Amino acid sequence: QKEVEQNSGPLSVPEGAIASLNCTYSDRGSQSFFWYRQYSGKSPELIMSIYSNGDKEDGRFTAQLNKASQYVSLLIRDSQPSDSATYLCAVPSGGSYIPTFGRGTSLIVHP
Amino acid sequence: DVKVTQSSRYLVKRTGEKVFLECVQDMDHENMFWYRQDPGLGLRLIYFSYDVKMKEKGDIPEGYSVSREKKERFSLILESASTNQTSMYLCASSFRLNTEAFFGQGTRLTVV
């Protein structure tokens, strides 16, 4: 059973703080990991991808991957109210490597 | 940029109607997917296709069928719409399995 787990939140942080979002997955064979941002009423938008253990930085976003512990996280530095959204973790899983999504973590950045 | 276009943003249909949701991608992607998204349940895979005329059932295929006659187009069909199919439907495509998927704008379907 392929599973991707996320805390549903909401995670509330003040403007300018670091938001930390976490995701665990069950399929040890997974090789690629993605973070999507979804605003209310809109479709998911890809913001980060990571394939190797360690950190990957892109602007204010950092993805962290630990395959041994089977978790992937997303850090958002200098959080802005415009970052308020649901963040979905996606892990291609199973023999067919179909994208499997977590249920998402709701992030609220308050001024 | 990858563009995935769904034919309708909002749809209202009656119970028992046959409903067609269309999705077109312009990046020559091999794989296309249909998900539905419901509050508290996340994205659930209905069907996917890895090539023209090829399809595989996802986690919740009951009450749905799909068609992929051309590489760029993937259609979701609700054979006889029911109120429990009221949902947000999301189409996505990817170049290969195990790579990032890109989503269309979504179709919010209401069955009355």
Side-chain angles (χ1 to χ4, degrees), chain A residues 70-83:
Chain A
Q70 295 178 247
Y71 82 77
V72 56
S73 60
L74 178 70
L75 301 179
I76 306 174
R77 289 183 302 281
D78 189 25
S79 296
Q80 301 297 310
S82 59
D83 294 326

Side-chain angles (χ1 to χ4, degrees), chain A residues 25-46:
Chain A
Y25 61 94
S26 62
D27 187 350
R28 284 196 169 274
S30 296
Q31 301 170 18
S32 52
F33 307 84
F34 306 103
W35 283 99
Y36 290 81
R37 178 177 61 201
Q38 186 175 26
Y39 293 114
S40 180
K42 303 294 187 182
S43 61
E45 170 193 14
L46 180 72

Side-chain angles (χ1 to χ4, degrees), chain B residues 5 11 15 25 28 33 43 53 56-57 60 66 69-70 78 82 85 89 98 107 109 112:
Chain B
T5 304
L11 272 181
T15 301
Q25 51 94 3
D28 202 35
F33 311 88
L43 274 80
K53 296 190 186 294
E56 293 285 343
K57 293 179 180 179
I60 52 164
V66 291
E69 296 296 319
K70 294 185 178 181
L78 286 65
S82 64
Q85 292 179 309
Y89 289 88
N98 217 19
T107 296
L109 172 67
V112 298

Side-chain angles (χ1 to χ4, degrees), chain B residues 4 11 13 30 44 50 58 60 66 78 83 86 95 107 109:
Chain B
V4 181
L11 272 181
K13 296 293 182 179
E30 298 290 333
R44 293 180 291 166
Y50 53 91
I60 52 164
V66 291
L78 286 65
T83 55
T86 291
F95 179 56
T107 296
L109 172 67

Side-chain angles (χ1 to χ4, degrees), chain A residues 29-107:
Chain A
S30 296
Q31 301 170 18
S32 52
F33 307 84
F34 306 103
W35 283 99
Y36 290 81
R37 178 177 61 201
Q38 186 175 26
Y39 293 114
S40 180
K42 303 294 187 182
S43 61
E45 170 193 14
L46 180 72
I47 55 172
M48 288 289 286
S49 57
I50 188 166
Y51 305 93
S52 304
N53 276 332
D55 296 359
K56 179 182 178 183
E57 188 174 316
D58 183 1
R60 295 187 296 112
F61 298 100
T62 299
Q64 299 175 319
L65 175 60
N66 184 322
K67 288 185 179 180
S69 300
Q70 295 178 247
Y71 82 77
V72 56
S73 60
L74 178 70
L75 301 179
I76 306 174
R77 289 183 302 281
D78 189 25
S79 296
Q80 301 297 310
S82 59
D83 294 326
S84 298
T86 296
Y87 289 81
L88 302 170
C89 173
V91 182
S93 306
S96 299
Y97 292 106
I98 303 301
T100 300
F101 288 81
R103 296 186 181 186
T105 298
S106 173
L107 173 67

Side-chain angles (χ1 to χ4, degrees), chain A residues 11-17 19 79-85 107-111:
Chain A
L11 173 66
S12 182
V13 300
E15 185 173 356
S79 296
Q80 301 297 310
S82 59
D83 294 326
S84 298
L107 173 67
I108 299 170
V109 181
H110 53 87

